Each structure stands twice: as C-alpha cells, then as structure tokens.
Amino acid sequence: MAVLLSAAAVGSAATRGHTNPLNLDPLVQDAYHYFYLLDYPAAVERFERFHAEHPGDPQASALLLDALLFQELYRQDLLDTTFYANDGFLTGRHVTQEDPKIRDRILSLADEAIREADWRLSKNPNDVDALYARGWSRALKCTYVAMVQRGYGSGFRLATKAKEDSERVLELDPEYVDAKLVTGIYQYVVGALPLPFKFLVGFVGITGSKSKGLELLHDVAQHGVMNTVEARTVIALFLRREGRYKEAIEIVRALKQQYPRDFLFCLEEANLRKDAGEGMVAAEAYREVIADGARPGYFAEARLELAYFGLGDALRGQRHYAEAAQAYEEAALTKSTSPELKVRSFLAGGQCRDLSGERAQAVKDYQAAIDAGPSTSRADTARKYLRTPYKGN
C-alpha cells in the first residue's frame, strides 16, 4: 500500500458525495491550495492552526498528519513515481534517511487521530466521520511504515484495518464516496502483487482485483469530495504500471492544467512520455521542467534531481550515453538528493560511462554508489561492475 493517499482536494458538496463538514472549512481549502503547490510549510502551518481550533477531532488530526507525512516523503524523494512503476521497491534493499523527530511526530499524530476516532466510536459505533478519519489515519501511518521504514508486514496489517474501516463507512453511507479511495487502492495493489506475495496473502483469504480497484478509483475521481485529485493521480500510476501510457498522459495533463505549478504533475508527464517510448520528446519535457525550476518562484520547491534522473533515463533509452551519464551525475550531486536516489543515480551514471567507453569515470561512479548506500541491492550491483565493465542488458 505504498502509494496510499496524498492530500484532500475539496469539491462542491452539492454535486459530489457526502463528507465531513470540516473538509469544507475555508481554512482547510486554503491549506490544500498550498499543498497542491507543494508549498508544504504553508500548508502545514494552516493545518496546525486548524488542528488547534478543533481539539479532540480525529479529522483535524488526520488533515495535519496528511500534510506532515507528504512533506517528509517529498523531502526524501519518495514521491518519485518511477520508484513504484515496477516491483523492485518490494524486493530490493533500499536506503532511507529517517529523521527521528519527524518520525516521532508523524507516528504520534497518527496514533492521536486513531485514539480520538476510537473514543467517538465507543460512543457511537456508526459514526461515519470517525470511521473515515480512523481508516484514513491508518492508511497514512501505513504509508510511512511501508515507504520510509520498509515495514511491509506491519504496513499491510495497517492497510487491511484501513480498508475494513472504509468498507464499514460505505456500508453505513454509500454516498461517502471518498472512502472508496482506500478500498480501491487495496483492491488493485493486492490484485497486482507478484505471484509469491499473492500466494502468501491468498493463503489467509486476502484477495484483490485490479479491475475492481480501478473501478472504485474512477468513482472517487468523478464523485469524491476530498480525494478526486488523489484518485486520478493513483489511476495514472496504475495505468503506467499496465503500460497504458496514452490514458495515463491524458489524466496527468488534466491535473497539470488544474495545477500548472505543481512540480510533480509537470514531472510526471515527462515520466510518462519516457515510458511511452517518446524518448527525445520526453527529454525536452524534462529540460522544460528543469528550466522552469530555475525560474525564481515558479515552483514552491522543485526536486530537480528527479528531473535530472528522468532526463538520464530518456537519453539512455536513445543511446546518448555520455549525455545520460552527465544527467545522472547531476541528479546524484544535487544538494537535496536523497540517499536512495543518490545510489540509483551513481549506478546508472557508471553504467552509461561504461557504455560510452569512459571506464575511469564509470569506476568513480560505482564507488560513489557504494559509498552512498553500502548495504543496498544497487550497491551490490555496483560492486559487480567494479570488477567487470557493464556491457548492457
């Protein structure tokens, strides 16, 4: 459930499903305006105020939790969708740089929201707003546990509880459409698990369906109040995994039109064009993102290392190995680059240096990959190519 949830896009209650009235508060809508600009400090500040104004309310706690969590995921480059477009993130060893203070705040706030929801449910077991807040908070906690701590077992247990809460919401109020986000993601992810994982969960009666998951997500995209943007974002990611690039590009272009200064939506269109085989078109799209990122104030915070890495991939696919290596190395050396992306970038740079006949520089890149993440799967690969030059797949 590593891709569970991002923020809340508040729509019109008159034309969409049911929701907690707190989600329609002007301060919440203002906070999410900044959230979708990726201006997390401004969003967090507003949600902190809203949380203080609504003590003991699990939805207020969950809203703040959402912003704090995704601020941290963005800091660690863990909102890079290329990381989740295949199953390597499940099977490989990765490096993350967990900040204990941020970790403690996120996990503490998640537990606070769950406790608050539990208290309300002890008074009224059919309180749909409390059920929704508890399911959402469990899903957000799952996201941190799975994506940052790589605790897939405990994360899956949280995801299952979140799904059960969301299903209960829909039993009580079928028009509470936003609850279908968690159930839709759960259905798709379980349905898409690699066979060994699917066998293990199926053995204990856990099943899923990719088609059912996409159906639920499309319903949220069309009729949700909070989660229309999230649903479309996740649909695009899942379509990318399915190789349905044209459909995914259409969704992302619509999101980009709605939020033209959201760095991740701009980046994702370039990612999709790369995966669709539009090599040089994608390269130009990455260069455009990089150029916009250099414009003062255009993006609230641009993680340009992600664009440089994508540019490297696009150029590598067109066999422009020397230019690709330069882009990968630029990604690795960008000040804000996370340890995980640094390892990936140096390894890819070394491979491209080998392919362009620059063995001495390739060796330097492989060693830098090992130094950046010595216990990772990619460091093991770098050690292999230190011994024998990379010759391509």
Side-chain angles (χ1 to χ4, degrees), residues 93-292:
R93 287 176 284 119
H94 310 282
V95 57
T96 55
Q97 201 168 50
E98 196 173 21
D99 184 314
K101 290 183 179 179
I102 295 174
R103 174 201 62 206
D104 292 348
R105 181 79 199 284
I106 287 171
L107 297 180
S108 174
L109 192 58
D111 291 341
E112 175 187 327
I114 293 168
R115 284 195 307 272
E116 290 167 344
D118 284 341
W119 185 86
R120 280 180 46 171
L121 290 165
S122 71
K123 305 296 182 183
N124 176 11
N126 295 331
D127 185 333
V128 290
D129 289 335
L131 277 166
Y132 178 83
R134 187 173 71 179
W136 188 25
S137 299
R138 284 171 165 169
L140 292 168
K141 185 176 181 180
C142 160
T143 302
Y144 185 86
V145 169
M147 294 172 70
V148 178
Q149 298 182 326
R150 301 296 194 264
Y152 297 124
S154 54
F156 193 79
R157 288 188 291 273
L158 281 165
T160 301
K161 290 182 178 180
K163 186 261 298 186
E164 291 170 353
D165 281 340
S166 298
E167 287 178 338
R168 180 60 179 154
V169 169
L170 292 166
E171 287 176 11
L172 294 167
D173 183 356
E175 297 304 312
Y176 214 116
V177 181
D178 285 318
K180 293 183 180 181
L181 181 67
V182 170
T183 56
I185 293 173
Y186 187 96
Q187 282 277 346
Y188 183 95
V189 170
V190 173
L193 284 172
L195 283 177
F197 290 93
K198 191 177 293 186
F199 174 79
L200 288 173
V201 299
F203 186 74
V204 293
I206 297 172
T207 59
S209 164
K210 293 194 293 183
S211 60
K212 179 62 174 177
L214 285 172
E215 179 184 334
L216 290 166
L217 291 169
H218 277 293
D219 198 8
V220 181
Q222 295 172 12
H223 305 295
V225 179
M226 289 180 64
N227 295 329
T228 60
V229 173
E230 295 70 30
R232 286 181 286 160
T233 303
V234 175
I235 290 169
L237 172 61
F238 290 164
L239 291 174
R240 182 179 177 184
R241 288 179 58 90
E242 305 259 337
R244 295 160 63 180
Y245 301 117
K246 183 177 180 181
E247 297 168 72
I249 288 170
E250 289 177 0
I251 292 171
V252 169
R253 284 184 64 84
L255 288 166
K256 182 180 171 183
Q257 184 175 8
Q258 188 175 357
Y259 301 101
R261 295 197 177 188
D262 183 309
F263 172 76
L264 289 175
F265 292 148
C266 295
L267 178 71
E268 187 62 6
E269 182 181 359
N271 287 338
L272 286 164
R273 293 196 180 280
K274 168 179 64 68
D275 288 356
E278 303 176 26
M280 296 313 294
V281 173
E284 287 307 308
Y286 284 120
R287 290 187 176 111
E288 181 179 344
V289 172
I290 292 167
D292 285 339

Side-chain angles (χ1 to χ4, degrees), residues 21-153:
L22 291 184
N23 297 325
L24 305 177
D25 188 282
L27 184 55
V28 171
Q29 296 188 52
D30 186 44
Y32 276 114
H33 165 75
Y34 289 98
F35 187 101
Y36 284 118
L37 292 176
L38 306 185
D39 187 345
Y40 291 112
V44 167
E45 186 274 329
R46 285 159 175 78
F47 281 126
E48 291 276 17
R49 279 194 277 137
F50 191 76
H51 182 243
E53 291 171 5
H54 297 83
D57 193 301
Q59 185 67 11
S61 300
L63 289 166
L64 175 58
L65 170 63
D66 188 39
L68 288 169
L69 170 64
F70 279 83
Q71 178 175 245
E72 176 62 4
L73 296 180
Y74 194 49
R75 183 187 73 83
Q76 294 207 37
D77 288 335
L78 290 173
L79 297 183
D80 175 14
T81 58
T82 60
F83 190 47
Y84 310 104
N86 56 62
D87 297 324
F89 77 94
L90 281 174
T91 56
R93 287 176 284 119
H94 310 282
V95 57
T96 55
Q97 201 168 50
E98 196 173 21
D99 184 314
K101 290 183 179 179
I102 295 174
R103 174 201 62 206
D104 292 348
R105 181 79 199 284
I106 287 171
L107 297 180
S108 174
L109 192 58
D111 291 341
E112 175 187 327
I114 293 168
R115 284 195 307 272
E116 290 167 344
D118 284 341
W119 185 86
R120 280 180 46 171
L121 290 165
S122 71
K123 305 296 182 183
N124 176 11
N126 295 331
D127 185 333
V128 290
D129 289 335
L131 277 166
Y132 178 83
R134 187 173 71 179
W136 188 25
S137 299
R138 284 171 165 169
L140 292 168
K141 185 176 181 180
C142 160
T143 302
Y144 185 86
V145 169
M147 294 172 70
V148 178
Q149 298 182 326
R150 301 296 194 264
Y152 297 124

